Amino acid sequence: MAEQTTTRPQAPTPEPGGKGSGPREPITQPKLGLVGWLRWMWRNLTSMRTALFLLLLLGIAALPGSYFPQRGIDAARTAQWIADHPTAGPFLDRLGFFEVYATPWFSAIYLLLFISLVGCVVPRTKVHWKAMRSTPPRTPARLSRLEHHASAEVDATPEQVVQVAREALRRRRFRVHSHDDVTVSAENGYVKETGNLVFHFALILVIVGVAIGYLFGWKGDVIVPVGKTMSNQLSQYDTFSPGPWVNPEKLAPFTIKVDRFDATFEENVTGRGQFGQPRNFTAYVTTKDAPGAAPKDSTIQVNHPLEMDGAGVFLLGNGYAPVVTVRDAKGNETFSGPVPFLAQDNNYRSVGAIKVTGADPKPLGFSGLFLPTAVVNKDQGPISIFPDLKNPALALTLYEGELFPGGRPQSVYLLDTAQMTQVTSKNDKTGQTEPLRIWLEPGQTFDLPGGRGSITFDRVDRFAGLSVRHDPGRWLTLVAALLALAGLIVTLTVRRRRVFVRVSPAGDAGRTVVTVGGLTKGDDDGLGRVVERALTDITSALPGTPDTSTETSTSTDRDPRP
Amino acid sequence: MTNETFAGYSNLALYSAMAVFLVAMICNAVYLAGLVPSRDRRRDAGAERELVAAGSAGGTGSAPAAAGARTAARADDGPDVDVPAKARKAAGIASTMTWLGALLLVVSVALRGLSVDRWPLGNMFEFAVMASMFTSLAYCVWSTRRDLRWLGLFITGPLLLVLGMAVTVWYTQAAELLPSLKSYWLVIHVTVAVIAMAIFTLGAVASVLYLVKDAFQRSGRASILDRFPSAESMERTSYGLHIVAFPLWTFTLIAGAIWARQAWASYWNWDPKEVWTFVIWVVYAAYLHSRATSGISRQVANWIALAGYVCLILNFTVVNVFFVGQHSYSGL
Ligand code: HEM
């Protein structure tokens, strides 16, 4: 560790207070061409100070993304935020505050950090490789100068003592070498640097794993009402985001049918923030690896994804899909089936739209709310007061006209009313014309005015919101992260220490003074103990009781008090 | 599912722990007050110290450096020659009370767990209580190996504050968990996070005291901090704590990512809580880095460590309650 390459920016740095910022000392750097510049920049980039600066910068740069809504996570909330802040919103948007983790500035920081990391770790690996095969350095002339040293006089010849010292240190797992007849140099704890290098290399591997996941991974979200089947095809997904190197036409051909969906909510505990909390969601499904394959029964729960061929299937959402039937004036069905409504709050007040393109005479669009436990509140209008189906109701308004103006893509939960007109009715009490309000409970039918037929609320089904995700890089990332952790623990617990032994003849013939000194880098509370232990090892291994006129000095602290 | 009796006894143990910590805090304060030498004692203090140093070095330590080492060591682990008996007694009571408080918190956490029939880490209240439990336990265990009496007041004080917040602001009735929290990864990830947080807390307190003592030393003013261990020794204590906590936090990050993949399909979603966990990790990594970077002073390094701690606290308080993310489990 002592000759550790803490690559520091060296020449050619400008003098403090000097003009300009470029290197301009002709003596230290005779021809500073492009190469010299590049080398200078490279040295600075790979210095520990730069790494430290970039680390702190990375931390700071990551923060705004936790405060501002992020488009990739919640596009609707982002759009809302920008709309709510007409001055700051667009400005921050241009700076990338709503896509922090994909902005050039964020990418630049971590890319520079990782270039710096490579540029730092590769030379250090070379140095460490050499250090591991080289012999420990010569013993300093005066061991008593070292911070930790101890000596004793023993009843043995210098040769014997050296021999014993070598064995004793080897037994303590030191690498041992004698540069001459009267000294022993020993070193251990090389694995500290190994651990450090493993840690830093593993960080690079983590990033490689993330990159593989980004390039070859994909993610699709789909809503599947109970009784329906989804197959793993691009066309089936409500949203699908593939990585740049994914062929979305070649997905594994599995299918998943949702047979049943169970949901339970807290009804017994009424403390703050507990009543009505979800307690369990389970989707019971039948899967097939390919359309013709044998069906298998499985369940998907929150925290318990279903692993299909190359993709995990996750239960990330759920809600209600009221089953409605729309008939025309003659009683022919123009629409029938479950319509997913999207929950807006914890009590599943849900919005949705029923789009009846085949209605007669004009296409009809119902828009409104589904309420699992409906009450009409004086201030808020129709709301739900519990997430489970205690008193379900549909509250709808009706539009007619062009449902898909211009064939533009639109949300399944909302009507695009640009080319539609709202159907109105006369209020019996006030006699005024107002928008038609439809209130339906399961089993009820509402006759639409003006010969437009009727709508029936048959029953309520639930739907499962499934997210299907393929990430081929995640195993690499996981293994690399665990490797980094292991390297970290090793580098933080192991100490790299040098122990030196020097022998010299004592005043009495046949006796020898043995001095042990220790050296380490940085703080090491245990070095004194190591030195003393080494001396004890040596003295106790020698024949006869040694003279224990031990003088030890293990000064670790200098008292700052006057 | 929930057993109201257990929950009641759990709260009782919690309130008892707070009362006991209050006693410990007062005794710790008495101990520190006792360290301040009275006026006439202070006059002799210099000479007295010389004598003690020479005496305890036993004649072998002829070099001045060795004598200095003995003097410093006395504050660490040497005999309390010049600590008044009253102060020593107060410190003894404080130590016993802190142990008792820590054990009462263990009881409280265990009963809470029994009452809800799950690992008691489902909301901010439970998080705060368990964090206090581990902080006091870590302090008690650590103090069996070193003299940490100088830290006592600065540990028991914040503990009381956090527990006070827990029972007033964050209190949540015993109940089951949200489905997204029903996972053994909750036990692993959050428990390790709480342990890391507890040790970071001790480290942060040591860093603050180091920085204060260092500032006093530079200005040359005498203060009670002169009776604390040397600034270098306090700084090393802080580092020792941080290098235990940092791998634990690294593990928290990894375990969180594994759990996130199970619960939310992707191991990393840049959810606010994830962002903060990451930022905390990066800042503490910067602290360790700065300590090994030549040209960066120990003071700066400790300021970075404290920045990490501020992020940790913000992560628990502000981010939990006010930031919109998938981690909305504060129970508020
Ligand atoms: C992804 C960014 C990085 C992270 C998260 C990181 C993290 C760490 C951590 C936590 C340590 C502490 C281990 C210890 O004290 O022994 C450390 C040590 C070290 N890092 Fe990094 N590091 C990063 C990048 C770099 C870069 C770019 C360099 C090169 C300039 C570098 C050079 C070193 C060195 C030389 C040590 C050893 C310090 C010592 O001798 O104790 N690191 N790093």
Side-chain angles (χ1 to χ4, degrees), chain A residues 213-276:
Chain A
Y214 167 73
L215 292 171
F216 297 99
W218 53 264
K219 175 178 188 259
D221 295 323
V222 57
I223 278 179
V224 190
V226 171
K228 300 275 181 197
T229 303
M230 66 81 61
S231 57
N232 186 31
Q233 288 164 9
L234 182 57
S235 60
Q236 292 262 314
Y237 287 105
D238 302 329
T239 60
F240 189 82
S241 22
W245 293 356
V246 172
N247 181 354
E249 304 304 324
K250 284 199 183 151
L251 306 180
F254 60 80
T255 65
I256 299 170
K257 175 167 182 274
V258 177
D259 302 310
R260 202 176 106 208
F261 190 91
D262 284 357
T264 44
F265 299 92
E266 181 65 62
E267 298 189 26
N268 301 322
V269 180
T270 49
R272 177 174 59 165
Q274 295 288 351
F275 185 68

Side-chain angles (χ1 to χ4, degrees), chain A residues 48-260:
Chain A
M48 287 263 304
R49 270 168 165 275
T50 310
L52 177 60
F53 173 72
L54 288 172
L55 265 177
L56 288 173
L57 203 59
L58 183 69
I60 293 167
L63 285 181
S66 73
Y67 178 74
F68 296 106
Q70 298 294 293
R71 199 163 275 137
I73 299 169
D74 195 340
R77 210 163 70 81
T78 308
Q80 188 61 45
W81 201 96
I82 297 175
D84 290 348
H85 302 77
T87 32
F91 177 70
L92 291 174
D93 196 12
R94 227 168 304 131
L95 293 180
F97 275 67
F98 305 106
E99 281 145 324
V100 166
Y101 309 106
T103 53
W105 44 270
F106 190 78
S107 316
I109 294 170
Y110 73 75
L111 286 178
L112 277 177
L113 186 57
F114 277 89
I115 293 170
S116 167
L117 191 52
V118 174
C120 177
V121 165
V122 170
R124 273 174 63 203
T125 309
K126 273 192 224 149
V127 170
H128 184 51
W129 182 255
K130 277 205 205 109
M132 284 204 301
R133 342 191 93 222
S134 63
T135 53
R138 284 182 174 281
T139 302
R142 294 195 50 196
L143 288 180
S144 54
R145 286 243 179 95
L146 297 183
E147 209 177 350
H148 296 273
H149 61 93
S151 65
E153 201 174 303
V154 291
D155 222 350
T157 63
E159 294 79 51
Q160 279 175 314
V161 177
V162 166
Q163 192 53 37
V164 164
R166 289 175 60 101
E167 274 161 25
L169 286 166
R170 218 175 263 135
R171 231 174 295 125
R172 294 283 182 190
R173 317 212 13 233
F174 277 86
R175 176 173 311 159
V176 176
H177 183 79
S178 289
H179 291 274
D180 52 44
D181 293 343
V182 292
T183 64
V184 181
S185 304
E187 184 164 16
N188 76 355
Y190 295 83
V191 72
K192 180 186 183 68
E193 178 69 357
T194 311
N196 190 304
L197 291 171
V198 165
F199 169 72
H200 285 88
F201 266 118
L203 291 183
I204 299 172
L205 284 185
V206 168
I207 286 291
V208 171
V210 171
I212 292 175
Y214 167 73
L215 292 171
F216 297 99
W218 53 264
K219 175 178 188 259
D221 295 323
V222 57
I223 278 179
V224 190
V226 171
K228 300 275 181 197
T229 303
M230 66 81 61
S231 57
N232 186 31
Q233 288 164 9
L234 182 57
S235 60
Q236 292 262 314
Y237 287 105
D238 302 329
T239 60
F240 189 82
S241 22
W245 293 356
V246 172
N247 181 354
E249 304 304 324
K250 284 199 183 151
L251 306 180
F254 60 80
T255 65
I256 299 170
K257 175 167 182 274
V258 177
D259 302 310
R260 202 176 106 208

